[in-house]
Structures are given as structure tokens and as C-alpha cells.
Amino acid sequence: MATCYSIQELMRMIATAAGSIADTVSDREGQRFMQALLTSDRIYVAGAGRSGLIAKAFAMRLMHLGMESYVVGETITPAMEKGDLLVTFSGSGETHSITDICKTAKAVGGTLALVTSRGESSMAKTADLTVVLDSRQYDDKGLSSDFAIRQITGEHRSGAAYNPKAPTGSLFETAAMIFSDAVILELMDLRHTAKNEVEENYSNIQ
Amino acid sequence: MATCYSIQELMRMIATAAGSIADTVSDREGQRFMQALLTSDRIYVAGAGRSGLIAKAFAMRLMHLGMESYVVGETITPAMEKGDLLVTFSGSGETHSITDICKTAKAVGGTLALVTSRGESSMAKTADLTVVLDSRQYDDKGLSSDFAIRQITGEHRSGAAYNPKAPTGSLFETAAMIFSDAVILELMDLRHTAKNEVEENYSNIQ
Amino acid sequence: MATCYSIQELMRMIATAAGSIADTVSDREGQRFMQALLTSDRIYVAGAGRSGLIAKAFAMRLMHLGMESYVVGETITPAMEKGDLLVTFSGSGETHSITDICKTAKAVGGTLALVTSRGESSMAKTADLTVVLDSRQYDDKGLSSDFAIRQITGEHRSGAAYNPKAPTGSLFETAAMIFSDAVILELMDLRHTAKNEVEENYSNIQ
Amino acid sequence: MATCYSIQELMRMIATAAGSIADTVSDREGQRFMQALLTSDRIYVAGAGRSGLIAKAFAMRLMHLGMESYVVGETITPAMEKGDLLVTFSGSGETHSITDICKTAKAVGGTLALVTSRGESSMAKTADLTVVLDSRQYDDKGLSSDFAIRQITGEHRSGAAYNPKAPTGSLFETAAMIFSDAVILELMDLRHTAKNEVEENYSNIQ
């Protein structure tokens, strides 16, 4: 008895699928997301399960860039305030524990950004801006008969029956990680340039 | 002043780069890794920084599959014993805190598997098996002049100067996540089939 | 300007206050709590903020005793099922994020135990059993004029204004940790004896 | 078969024991610890196992007071620098993983404070200041025949045989939590007064 694909083949399939999800990102929402990151006082991230791990990976890079970021639930995360941004990662857009956090963020006057696979979800309806990484496209392309892709897209989820925190599927999470890294590269580029300009200004007034 | 690439373009570049790293995975080491997962009593995962988040994402999926897995450093992680497997994720293969954990794993008679970008690193030398996801290939293909790719591959790392835990680069981590998910798909396939066979055996003796 | 108390004096005050809270623990609820721990399939713990850290310290000791325990929110925590026990730590008994978890625990047929300072709180009303560690007694004993004790009991909480997760006060948490350790000692004693009895039985049938 | 003590009795024994450990805290080291907290740029905390949870509880309160604090190993913890303080909690003073972190702290020019039960341990030798909470006193007072106290003081530790991270005993951790809370009360008092003085100064110059 053998598996249908080698690990290398599966890696290439996942990478190709995750990359193609870039097509579902709206230019306008992508730009609004960048704008929100650049203009907020502090950036909070939240997510349940594996989406929460992607949220942490994003917050860590923001810190590396010198931006003030916090992970909801970690030890030294201060109270959110007006002017702060909450970035939530939720494949389904229906994660209950995150919904509560979103309400608090809105109640204190914060901005709510959602990264999700479901643009029409409950969380998308209350978010100030929503980046859609639609991993469902694979269901409609005749690939649903393929065991591997069904697993990746979350059509089959072991033990997810009653757990409201179960991820939509690994493909959303991989796409969310790649999206986060792309955003970090944009921020590095933008802030790098800004730093040069600031240094040029220094030179001019010396 | 503008960035060179859109978020969507950067996502596609990252996905393509991560997928191509599949070529650096050795068939033999991939198979030995699968074998170690399937034959160990318990699976422990460890990693520092963002590699540690990928390690957690992998452990969570193993738990979803019904395999006994633990994250080094979490609350209820029991002592490792002979017959257990430690899977460490380290881009550089030189992370000091992980090196200590690896020594303990070997001292108790456990098996040590390493997922790294550096097949010749210190940790690779002591590991029982090493899966190489070599993200350095991009340095040698004329892409090193490209700001984005240099950032992805970790050639430039903000604040990494004295921090031994600094990741090698985001590209290793993305490739490690995709590798982990590919391994999970292989495990689902293998164990699914095994379950069928067991059920056939049941039918035979009823 | 000087502080009123030395660190040593404050330590003794806190220890004395925490110890006296033992008086508020009901014998019957204490016994029911022990019973629930001993008869449940698996023990889950949950708590927000510092109460969450006490919950983890408790879960770690349960694991040391060989009992199957999990922390809600950690990586490899499996889905709760009928027969499982959820132990929540909440000083106020009103922590929103924990309330959601409690609902899930009840929905799947699990048992819900609450350790709290407020026996009449919302969470106490839905819990199957409630251990009260009433840290409010200090407010009624003429000690409320005392800066230190007011701080300990949570009468003054910096930054707690809008944060629903703010702890009731440090004194509850210290009492909860001491309560947890007392429970662990009882479990060690009970299970130690049981182990002897089992071994005697072995000897008998050899 | 019955346990020797009720939960309430055990709670009082633990609280009394923890409070009496205050006697082992040196006035001079206590004051130097306060001074280090008040004069450092940023405060990092570290600890393994249950000591790590106490470290987090301390860092959380520092954040509540508006002091910049970080937990080693959490997502957004930045690199340590000269002028920063690392507070480590280690009952044995020999925890290997913490030893590595201490070396890094010293290497970058940071100050190293240790809270431990062992004033003569390896970590105490390299620390700039050491607060001793000596939980061993109970071994020498004829109480070692008492099952409960032996467990509390860590004389018996299940599963600690080969685990270098095993805590010295629950009593150290409880004393460390009470010590931390006493320090927080001192800080609140000191900083509260300072704030008044600053405001009086404002009034004078208006």
C-alpha cells in the first residue's frame, strides 16, 4: 500500500495552491490593511488554534521592524485603547472566542482588521476592513475528488465536529502566513525608504 | 516613493520560492522522517522564535490525527523517555536553547530529528536524521540583488546581531510549514489505509 | 518619603491573609472537588490573566502525578468529551472568555468545577461545583484603610477599568495557588495509598 | 483509608510555611532588588516550569504598573540590551535552560537578578544580586517525617529524576509568588508617592 504523492509533490501542490490564493486578495483591502498598520498606535493580533500561531508569527516580525505589537492572551499585553488596531486571523470568520475579543476592540474605539477565507462571515460583517484569502476556490475546480486537496482545504477535519475553534483548513493558514510575510516585506520597503528620507533631511540641516 | 511589488506579487514570489525548496528534500531522509513518526511512542516538538510556532502547528495536527504529541515548554509536557522522538525546527541548525534540549533527548535514549536549512550545522551533526529545506539556493541565482528575496531568505535580519534565536529567514519557516503539512497528508493517507486494513481483518474473523 | 512596610512584613501579611481564606472553603465542596478530580476521564484547566497561570501550575502538578490534564488554549489540547472535567479559576466569576469555554464544556456533557472568590457569580450559577476562596473578608475587618491590603484584595486595580479579564486581586490568586497545592497533596496521599493497596493485591495473587 | 489533613489544614500549613520564608530574605538584597527594578530600562523575566509561571505573574503586574516588562520566550519580546534587567526565578539555581539566558543577559551588559532557594547555587554565583527564599529550613525542623511537608518542600518529586527543569518544590514557588506580590506593593507605594511629588512640582511652576 502506497501513498499517491511523495512529500516533495505534496509540498509543491500546497505551495502552488497557497500562491494562487493571492488572486483573491483585493487591491483596495490590501492597501487599506497596509494603511491601518502604518497609522495605528499599537497593533494587537489574535487567532485561535493554528491561525493563532500565524498571528504570533506576524506580531514577531512587526516587533522586529520596531513596531509596537502585542498578542492577545500573552502575559504583558496591555489594555487596548482608541487608536489601536486589532488584526484577527480566522479562516471561518466565526470563531467564538475571537468574536468576543473583536467586540472589546470595537467597544474601546479600536480598529478591527480581519484576515479570513470567508468574506461574508459574521466577523467580516463587523470588521472595519477584511482581507479575503479565499481557499474555497479549490472545491470548485474538480479537485475535490482528490484526497490531498480535500484535506488541505479543510473539507475533511478530524475531531472538528463540535469544536468552534477548529481551523477551516491548512491551506488558509499557509496562505495567511505567506500574506503576512508579504505585508512585512512591504512594510520593510516603505519604512526603509522613509528612513532614508529622514536621514537625507538630517544631512540637509547639519 | 513606491514599493516595487504588490502584496499579491510578493505572495506569489514567496509561494514559488517555498515550493521550489521541495527539490532540496532528500527522498531517503523524507522516508526516514515518516518512519520515525510512525514508530515512535510519543512525538515531542521544539523550536525557537517563528520556527517554534511552526513546530506547534505541526504538533497540533499530529494531535488531530490521534498521535500523542507534546510541545517542549508547554505546561503538561511530560518527561521524554527512550522510544520517544524529538522533532526540532531550526533554520540555522545552531540555536543554543534547542541544542540543550537535543542533548537531553539523546541522553534519555530518544531519537532526534532535525528540520533545518543547514545540513552541515552543529545540530545536523548530532541528529539521528535531518530533513534539509535549503532556502539558501536563492542567494546563488542572481536574485540576491533583489531586496524582497534577500529579506525572505534572511540575508538581512533586523535585530538579529546578537540574538542566537534569530531565525535564518522567513522562507525557511514557510517551507517548514508546507513540509509539515505535506507530512501530515502522508500520515493521514497511510493511517487511513491502515485503518481500512484493520477493519477488513475484523470482517474476516467475525 | 518611605513605604510603610518592609518586603518581609508584606510577605507575612499576604501569607497570613491567604492562609486565613482557607476558612471560607466549604468541607462539602472541597470533597466534591476531590471526587470530581479522581473520577473524571481527563482534567482540563482554564483561566484568564494571572488566574490562568495558577490554572497552569495546577495542571502541571496533575501531570506530575500521572493524571491526564490539559490547559485550554495550549497546542495539543484535544476536544473535551463527556466524562471530562473542566476546572476554571476566576476570582470574579464573571470572566467573559472563560464563560464561553464553560458553555462548551457543559454542551459536550463535561463537568464544570469553578474556583472563585464569588460564590454568587454568574459562573458559580452554571458550575456543577464551586469552591469559594472568599478574599473579600478583608474589606469588612477594618483593614480597608490599609493601602497594602486594599491593593492585595483588588479594591484598587490599575488599568482594570474596561478590561473584563482583570483579576479580582492578587490575594485570590495566591489563595488559589495554595488551594491547588493542598489539593495536589491530598491527591498524592490518596493515590499513594491506593498504589500500595494495588501492590498488596498483586502480592496476593502471585 | 483517610488522608491525615483536610484541605483547609493543608492550606494553612502551606501559607504559614511560605510566610515564614520571609525571614530568609536579606534586607540588603531586597533593597538592591527594588533598586534594580526602579533604575533599569526594561525588565525581562524568565523561569522554567512552575517558576516560569510565577515569573509571568510578576511581569504581568509590572505591566499593570506601567513598567516595561517582557517574558523570555513570548512572541514580542525584543532583544535585551545594556541597561536592561533580567529577573530569573529558579528554586534550585541550576536550571540549564535559564543558565543560557543568564549568560546572554550578562554578555549584552544587562543586570542579572536571581530569585532562588539556593544562595550558593551556580546561578547565584554569576548573578549581580540574589534574593534567597530558603525553603530548605523545613527539612531541619523535625518536620521531615511529615509526608505533606516533605512533598511541599520538594524532598519527593515525581518524575524529577532526569529532568533538569524540575522545580525544587512547591513551597519555593508559593514563597516566590508572595515575594513578587510584596515587591509589587512596594513599587505601587513608591511610584504612587513619586507621582504626587511630581504633581506638586507641576503646581509650583504653573
Side-chain angles (χ1 to χ4, degrees):
Chain A
M1 174 251 22
T3 53
C4 306
Y5 302 106
S6 71
I7 290 177
Q8 294 94 327
E9 283 168 329
L10 287 169
M11 286 182 70
R12 285 183 209 105
M13 288 167 68
I14 296 170
T16 302
S20 74
I21 290 174
D23 300 340
T24 73
V25 176
S26 140
D27 271 336
R28 185 169 163 278
E29 290 298 294
Q31 304 244 331
R32 288 185 65 209
F33 188 74
M34 293 300 299
Q35 203 62 29
L37 290 171
L38 288 165
T39 58
S40 297
D41 292 338
R42 301 181 295 185
I43 302 163
Y44 288 67
V45 305
R50 282 166 51 112
S51 291
L53 298 171
I54 303 303
K56 286 184 177 177
F58 182 48
M60 198 181 290
R61 279 283 182 257
L62 290 173
M63 178 270 289
H64 289 161
L65 263 61
M67 300 174 76
E68 195 171 348
S69 65
Y70 297 100
V71 178
V72 174
E74 288 204 340
T75 302
I76 58 101
T77 304
M80 253 191 92
E81 292 174 12
K82 191 170 153 61
D84 293 338
L85 171 68
L86 173 63
V87 180
T88 58
F89 292 76
S90 171
S92 66
E94 309 288 348
T95 320
H96 286 313
S97 59
I98 305 301
T99 309
D100 279 350
I101 293 162
C102 293
K103 276 183 203 157
T104 303
K106 299 282 286 187
V108 301
T111 301
L112 177 55
L114 173 67
V115 181
T116 184
S117 177
R118 302 285 185 268
E120 75 291 2
S121 61
S122 313
M123 290 170 76
K125 276 165 195 147
T126 60
D128 295 299
L129 65 104
T130 301
V131 174
V132 176
L133 301 168
D134 195 340
S135 54
R136 284 171 302 180
Q137 55 177 308
Y138 288 91
D139 304 342
D140 309 327
K141 285 187 179 168
L143 289 164
S144 64
S145 62
D146 184 319
F147 177 77
I149 293 295
R150 276 181 291 133
Q151 300 299 347
I152 297 168
T153 55
E155 201 175 312
H156 291 274
R157 275 163 292 154
S158 61
Y162 74 83
N163 187 350
K165 293 185 182 174
T168 308
S170 296
L171 194 51
F172 167 74
E173 294 141 19
T174 305
M177 186 170 182
I178 290 173
F179 168 75
S180 303
D181 280 349
V183 166
I184 293 294
L185 290 176
E186 292 272 339
L187 287 173
M188 291 177 83
D189 200 358
L190 282 166
R191 289 164 57 95
H192 184 262
T193 311
K195 185 164 168 287
N196 284 351
E197 284 171 3
V198 169
E199 282 168 359
E200 277 174 17
N201 284 342
Y202 276 157
S203 307
N204 285 342
I205 56 165
Q206 272 184 327
Chain B
M1 172 251 22
T3 53
C4 307
Y5 301 105
S6 70
I7 289 177
Q8 294 95 326
E9 284 169 328
L10 287 169
M11 286 182 71
R12 285 183 209 105
M13 288 167 67
I14 296 170
T16 302
S20 75
I21 290 174
D23 300 341
T24 72
V25 176
S26 140
D27 270 335
R28 186 169 162 277
E29 290 298 293
Q31 304 244 332
R32 288 185 65 208
F33 188 74
M34 293 300 300
Q35 203 62 29
L37 290 170
L38 288 165
T39 58
S40 297
D41 293 337
R42 301 181 294 185
I43 303 162
Y44 288 67
V45 306
R50 284 167 48 114
S51 291
L53 298 171
I54 302 304
K56 287 183 178 179
F58 182 49
M60 198 181 290
R61 279 285 182 254
L62 291 173
M63 178 270 289
H64 289 163
L65 263 62
M67 299 174 76
E68 194 172 349
S69 65
Y70 296 101
V71 178
V72 173
E74 288 204 339
T75 302
I76 58 100
T77 305
M80 253 190 93
E81 292 174 12
K82 191 170 153 60
D84 294 337
L85 171 68
L86 173 63
V87 180
T88 57
F89 291 77
S90 171
S92 67
E94 307 289 349
T95 321
H96 286 313
S97 59
I98 305 300
T99 309
D100 279 349
I101 293 162
C102 293
K103 276 182 203 158
T104 304
K106 299 283 285 185
V108 301
T111 302
L112 178 55
L114 173 68
V115 181
T116 183
S117 177
R118 303 283 184 271
E120 76 290 3
S121 60
S122 316
M123 291 169 75
K125 276 165 196 146
T126 61
D128 296 298
L129 65 103
T130 301
V131 174
V132 177
L133 301 168
D134 195 341
S135 53
R136 283 172 301 181
Q137 54 177 307
Y138 289 91
D139 305 343
D140 308 327
K141 286 188 178 166
L143 287 165
S144 65
S145 61
D146 184 317
F147 177 78
I149 293 296
R150 274 180 293 134
Q151 300 299 345
I152 297 169
T153 55
E155 200 176 315
H156 291 273
R157 277 164 291 155
S158 60
Y162 72 84
N163 187 350
K165 293 185 181 173
T168 309
S170 296
L171 194 51
F172 167 73
E173 294 140 20
T174 304
M177 186 171 183
I178 290 173
F179 168 75
S180 303
D181 282 348
V183 166
I184 292 294
L185 291 176
E186 292 271 340
L187 286 173
M188 290 176 83
D189 201 359
L190 282 165
R191 289 164 57 94
H192 184 262
T193 310
K195 185 165 166 285
N196 284 351
E197 284 171 2
V198 168
E199 282 166 0
E200 277 173 18
N201 284 344
Y202 275 156
S203 306
N204 285 343
I205 57 165
Q206 272 184 327
Chain C
M1 172 255 17
T3 54
C4 305
Y5 302 105
S6 70
I7 289 177
Q8 293 95 326
E9 283 168 328
L10 287 169
M11 285 182 70
R12 286 183 208 106
M13 289 166 67
I14 296 169
T16 302
S20 75
I21 290 174
D23 300 339
T24 73
V25 176
S26 141
D27 270 335
R28 185 167 162 279
E29 290 298 293
Q31 305 245 332
R32 290 185 63 208
F33 188 74
M34 293 300 299
Q35 205 61 29
L37 290 171
L38 288 164
T39 58
S40 296
D41 292 337
R42 301 181 294 184
I43 302 163
Y44 287 67
V45 305
R50 283 167 50 112
S51 291
L53 298 171
I54 303 303
K56 286 184 178 177
F58 183 49
M60 198 181 290
R61 279 285 182 254
L62 291 173
M63 177 270 287
H64 290 162
L65 263 62
M67 300 174 76
E68 194 172 348
S69 65
Y70 297 101
V71 177
V72 173
E74 289 203 338
T75 303
I76 58 101
T77 304
M80 253 191 92
E81 291 174 12
K82 192 170 154 59
D84 293 338
L85 171 68
L86 172 64
V87 180
T88 58
F89 291 77
S90 172
S92 67
E94 309 289 348
T95 321
H96 286 314
S97 59
I98 304 300
T99 310
D100 279 349
I101 294 161
C102 294
K103 276 183 203 157
T104 304
K106 299 283 285 185
V108 300
T111 301
L112 177 55
L114 173 67
V115 181
T116 184
S117 178
R118 305 281 186 270
E120 75 290 2
S121 61
S122 315
M123 290 169 76
K125 275 165 197 147
T126 59
D128 294 299
L129 65 103
T130 301
V131 174
V132 176
L133 301 168
D134 196 339
S135 54
R136 284 172 300 180
Q137 53 175 311
Y138 289 91
D139 304 342
D140 308 327
K141 285 186 178 167
L143 287 165
S144 64
S145 61
D146 184 318
F147 177 77
I149 293 296
R150 276 181 292 134
Q151 300 298 347
I152 298 167
T153 55
E155 200 174 315
H156 291 273
R157 277 163 290 155
S158 60
Y162 73 83
N163 187 350
K165 292 186 182 174
T168 308
S170 297
L171 194 50
F172 167 73
E173 294 140 19
T174 305
M177 185 171 184
I178 290 174
F179 168 75
S180 303
D181 281 349
V183 166
I184 293 294
L185 290 177
E186 292 272 339
L187 287 172
M188 291 177 83
D189 200 358
L190 283 165
R191 289 164 56 95
H192 183 261
T193 311
K195 185 165 167 284
N196 285 351
E197 284 171 4
V198 168
E199 282 167 359
E200 278 173 18
N201 284 342
Y202 275 158
S203 307
N204 284 344
I205 56 164
Q206 271 186 327
Chain D
M1 172 250 25
T3 54
C4 307
Y5 302 106
S6 70
I7 289 178
Q8 293 95 328
E9 284 169 328
L10 287 169
M11 286 182 70
R12 285 184 209 105
M13 289 167 67
I14 297 169
T16 302
S20 75
I21 291 175
D23 300 341
T24 72
V25 176
S26 140
D27 270 335
R28 184 168 163 278
E29 290 299 292
Q31 304 244 331
R32 288 184 65 208
F33 188 74
M34 292 300 301
Q35 205 61 29
L37 290 171
L38 288 165
T39 58
S40 297
D41 293 338
R42 300 181 296 184
I43 302 162
Y44 287 68
V45 305
R50 282 166 50 112
S51 291
L53 298 171
I54 302 304
K56 286 183 178 177
F58 182 48
M60 198 182 289
R61 280 284 182 256
L62 291 173
M63 177 270 287
H64 288 162
L65 264 61
M67 299 173 77
E68 195 171 349
S69 65
Y70 296 100
V71 178
V72 174
E74 289 203 339
T75 303
I76 58 99
T77 304
M80 254 192 91
E81 292 175 10
K82 191 170 154 59
D84 293 338
L85 170 68
L86 172 63
V87 181
T88 58
F89 291 78
S90 171
S92 67
E94 309 289 348
T95 321
H96 287 313
S97 59
I98 305 301
T99 309
D100 279 349
I101 293 161
C102 293
K103 275 182 204 157
T104 305
K106 299 282 286 185
V108 301
T111 302
L112 177 55
L114 172 68
V115 182
T116 183
S117 177
R118 304 283 185 268
E120 73 291 4
S121 59
S122 315
M123 290 169 76
K125 275 165 196 146
T126 60
D128 295 299
L129 64 104
T130 301
V131 174
V132 176
L133 301 168
D134 195 340
S135 55
R136 284 172 302 178
Q137 52 176 311
Y138 289 90
D139 304 343
D140 308 327
K141 285 187 179 168
L143 288 165
S144 64
S145 62
D146 183 320
F147 177 78
I149 293 296
R150 275 181 293 133
Q151 300 299 345
I152 298 168
T153 55
E155 200 174 314
H156 291 273
R157 276 163 292 155
S158 59
Y162 73 82
N163 186 350
K165 292 185 182 176
T168 308
S170 297
L171 194 51
F172 167 73
E173 293 141 18
T174 304
M177 185 171 184
I178 290 174
F179 168 75
S180 302
D181 281 350
V183 166
I184 294 293
L185 291 176
E186 292 271 340
L187 287 172
M188 291 176 83
D189 201 358
L190 283 165
R191 289 164 57 94
H192 185 262
T193 312
K195 185 164 168 287
N196 284 351
E197 284 171 2
V198 168
E199 282 167 0
E200 278 173 17
N201 284 343
Y202 275 159
S203 306
N204 286 341
I205 57 165
Q206 271 185 327

